[in-house]
Amino acid sequence: MSEVSKYQKFNTPVYIYSKDQLSANYKLLEASFPYQHMQIHYAVMCNNNKDVLREIRKLGGSVQVNSLNELELVKDIGFDKRCISFTSIGLDKDSLRHLINEGVQLNLDSIEEVEKLCQLTSNYSFGIRVNIKDDIILNKDHTNSYKHSDVGIKEEDFKRVTQIARQASCKINGVHGYLASNILDTVPCMKFGDYLGRCASSFKDLEYLNFGSGFGVFCECKTKHFDFETIGRHYANITEDLSTNFNRDIQLKIEPGRSIVASAGILLAKVTNIKQLQDKKQVAIDVGFGGFARPILYNACHLIEVLGKENGAEHYDVRAATVLQSDFIGRDRYLPLIEENDIVVIHNAGAYGMVMASGFPGRKKPEEIMITSFADLL
């Protein structure tokens, strides 16, 4: 059976996820943190496919959710409330009341949310999300910066939120932070971790420090990985110092999403047209912004291959399936000679793919399939 014929049973566009790759990514991350009292909270917003979530649960993972709908989803999958962390913004009293009743760990984003929660309950423990103010230089390939962000509570407001909590006999038991997305260099993460650790030392009832994530995935190389070991040791050292200072075990939490599921997913699309331009060709495929929004939303890079063909020589733009002039999956790619009905493979598509699909403009959304291994197909 030829390589192309292996895929003829799938209707394109289709996301395909690999259990083996998902497991390998999770275990690599887990092994990189030499700290016993640790939780990996998979960020559900990256990929909320039920099969993916079931695999995360089988691997012993916890989850980070950002909405009440995500909370209901992970409960249906079977995650215990002790394995759920909830971080969002702009929560009203009804949402806070619901979350209090659910008993999941909260990280609040503002003084106003702290005030509302403390009006609703007493003797309750919650975490806060910190606004990152340190001037941390990020690599050019990051996709979402903290610069000028209004997310989180500022360091100068720590005393105020502590006082509000104390008046309601509540405790601030955790500190949460997030720097940016797709960070490829360890230095910004280390500086961020140092700042977050200093912030965490301000809270006498501290039980956990949540470093968020942002660990990057390299575009053009399938074998190159973020240096998890360096960050794992650094975050562990910060948390160990806090444990020593407070004379109790402080829990280390991280919220990786894309670094777990990106390379565990590929997106297959069919070539529908080839247009000759002045100095290159434009390939149209049957998926675009409505099925895979990440390239246009973040100007993000994704490795593209042609199924069954190697040794690129032709100059192409890979055009997405909308009339939006800026909707491209990739520009200026050198690929093998492409023909209509060929299948292109878009790599690192397991995160922020189907979860963001809208079907715009009136197109069929991609299907999703979970398999054991990409080796069964590629």
Side-chain angles (χ1 to χ4, degrees):
M1 181 182 293
S2 70
E3 290 187 58
V4 175
S5 65
K6 291 180 183 179
Y7 287 91
Q8 288 178 344
K9 60 183 177 181
F10 300 125
N11 294 318
T12 60
V14 57
Y15 286 99
I16 300 180
Y17 309 124
S18 163
K19 292 181 184 180
D20 286 354
Q21 189 61 54
L22 179 67
S23 176
N25 292 345
Y26 185 93
K27 290 177 180 178
L28 172 65
L29 188 60
E30 186 178 43
S32 300
F33 282 74
Y35 191 81
Q36 186 174 4
H37 197 39
M38 174 193 172
Q39 276 185 320
I40 297 176
H41 286 266
Y42 166 69
V44 174
M45 66 186 293
C46 278
N47 187 326
N48 62 7
N49 178 273
K50 289 184 178 181
D51 288 332
V52 169
L53 292 174
R54 290 188 186 101
E55 290 303 311
I56 295 291
R57 184 169 176 265
K58 288 179 184 177
L59 289 165
S62 299
V63 283
Q64 152 63 25
V65 297
N66 294 77
S67 68
L68 297 181
N69 285 340
E70 285 187 348
L71 176 58
E72 291 305 310
L73 173 61
V74 298
K75 285 169 54 185
D76 288 344
I77 295 296
F79 285 95
D80 186 271
K81 68 178 183 180
R82 293 169 296 182
C83 298
I84 302 172
S85 175
F86 188 102
T87 309
S88 188
I89 62 169
L91 295 172
D92 59 15
K93 279 192 173 181
D94 286 341
S95 298
L96 287 168
R97 187 178 291 110
H98 181 83
L99 290 164
I100 290 168
N101 291 335
E102 290 287 348
V104 298
Q105 179 63 55
L106 300 178
N107 295 303
L108 300 181
D109 173 72
S110 66
I111 297 172
E112 291 77 9
E113 287 180 352
V114 173
E115 288 176 330
K116 283 186 281 191
L117 183 138
C118 291
Q119 290 167 5
L120 292 170
T121 189
S122 59
N123 298 308
Y124 193 86
S125 295
F126 61 90
I128 64 166
R129 182 170 181 175
V130 172
N131 181 272
I132 308 302
K133 72 174 187 178
D134 269 15
D135 187 18
I136 301 173
I137 298 174
L138 298 171
N139 57 277
K140 64 180 179 65
D141 294 314
H142 73 271
T143 55
N144 186 18
S145 174
Y146 73 100
K147 288 291 188 183
H148 311 300
S149 172
D150 58 0
V151 172
I153 296 173
K154 295 181 179 179
E155 187 176 357
E156 53 264 35
D157 293 321
F158 288 173
K159 288 184 179 179
R160 184 177 174 190
V161 294
T162 300
Q163 183 181 25
I164 294 170
R166 187 183 302 116
Q167 289 172 346
S169 299
C170 291
K171 295 180 179 180
I172 298 175
N173 70 334
V175 167
H176 173 283
Y178 187 85
L179 181 59
S181 298
N182 206 50
I183 302 172
L184 300 174
D185 184 9
T186 58
V187 174
C189 294
M190 294 170 75
K191 291 182 177 179
F192 155 75
D194 292 340
Y195 178 70
L196 205 61
R198 292 197 301 271
C199 290
S201 65
S202 301
F203 298 94
K204 67 180 183 63
D205 297 313
L206 189 76
E207 296 177 5
Y208 68 87
L209 179 56
N210 189 328
F211 293 92
S213 180
F215 309 135
V217 177
F218 290 87
C219 167
E220 296 291 350
C221 181
K222 290 185 283 186
T223 59
K224 189 175 182 180
H225 298 285
F226 179 83
D227 186 358
F228 294 114
E229 289 189 358
T230 294
I231 290 304
R233 288 192 301 268
H234 193 73
Y235 286 2
N237 289 338
I238 293 169
T239 315
E240 285 169 358
D241 287 344
L242 287 168
S243 297
T244 299
N245 292 339
F246 286 112
N247 196 29
R248 61 178 179 272
D249 285 339
I250 302 300
Q251 189 173 47
L252 190 164
K253 296 186 180 186
I254 54 173
E255 296 173 353
R258 188 165 182 258
S259 55
I260 291 178
V261 294
S263 65
I266 57 176
L267 174 59
L268 304 184
K270 185 174 70 174
V271 175
T272 58
N273 191 63
I274 302 169
K275 181 178 181 178
Q276 182 65 57
L277 304 180
Q278 183 174 0
D279 57 350
K280 56 185 171 182
K281 294 178 181 179
Q282 184 188 90
V283 176
I285 59 176
D286 63 352
V287 70
F289 170 73
F292 189 44
R294 194 170 182 274
I296 189 173
L297 187 62
Y298 296 118
N299 192 30
C301 171
H302 287 265
L303 177 66
I304 300 172
E305 295 180 327
V306 185
L307 193 64
K309 297 182 178 181
E310 298 179 353
N311 303 320
E314 299 285 322
H315 188 190
Y316 294 102
D317 286 343
V318 181
R319 189 75 166 83
T322 72
V323 294
L324 295 179
Q325 294 187 31
S326 58
D327 195 2
F328 286 82
I329 303 298
R331 291 178 183 264
D332 295 315
R333 304 296 180 89
Y334 285 89
L335 300 167
L337 179 65
I338 297 177
E339 301 170 280
E340 195 166 313
N341 294 319
D342 276 350
I343 302 295
V344 298
V345 183
I346 303 166
H347 289 272
N348 293 330
Y352 300 106
M354 189 60 188
V355 74
M356 300 178 76
S358 66
F360 177 86
R363 299 186 69 92
K364 181 188 73 172
K365 291 183 182 180
E367 297 178 10
E368 295 177 283
I369 297 171
M370 175 74 84
I371 63 174
T372 300
S373 172
F374 289 142
D376 297 338
L377 298 174
L378 295 176

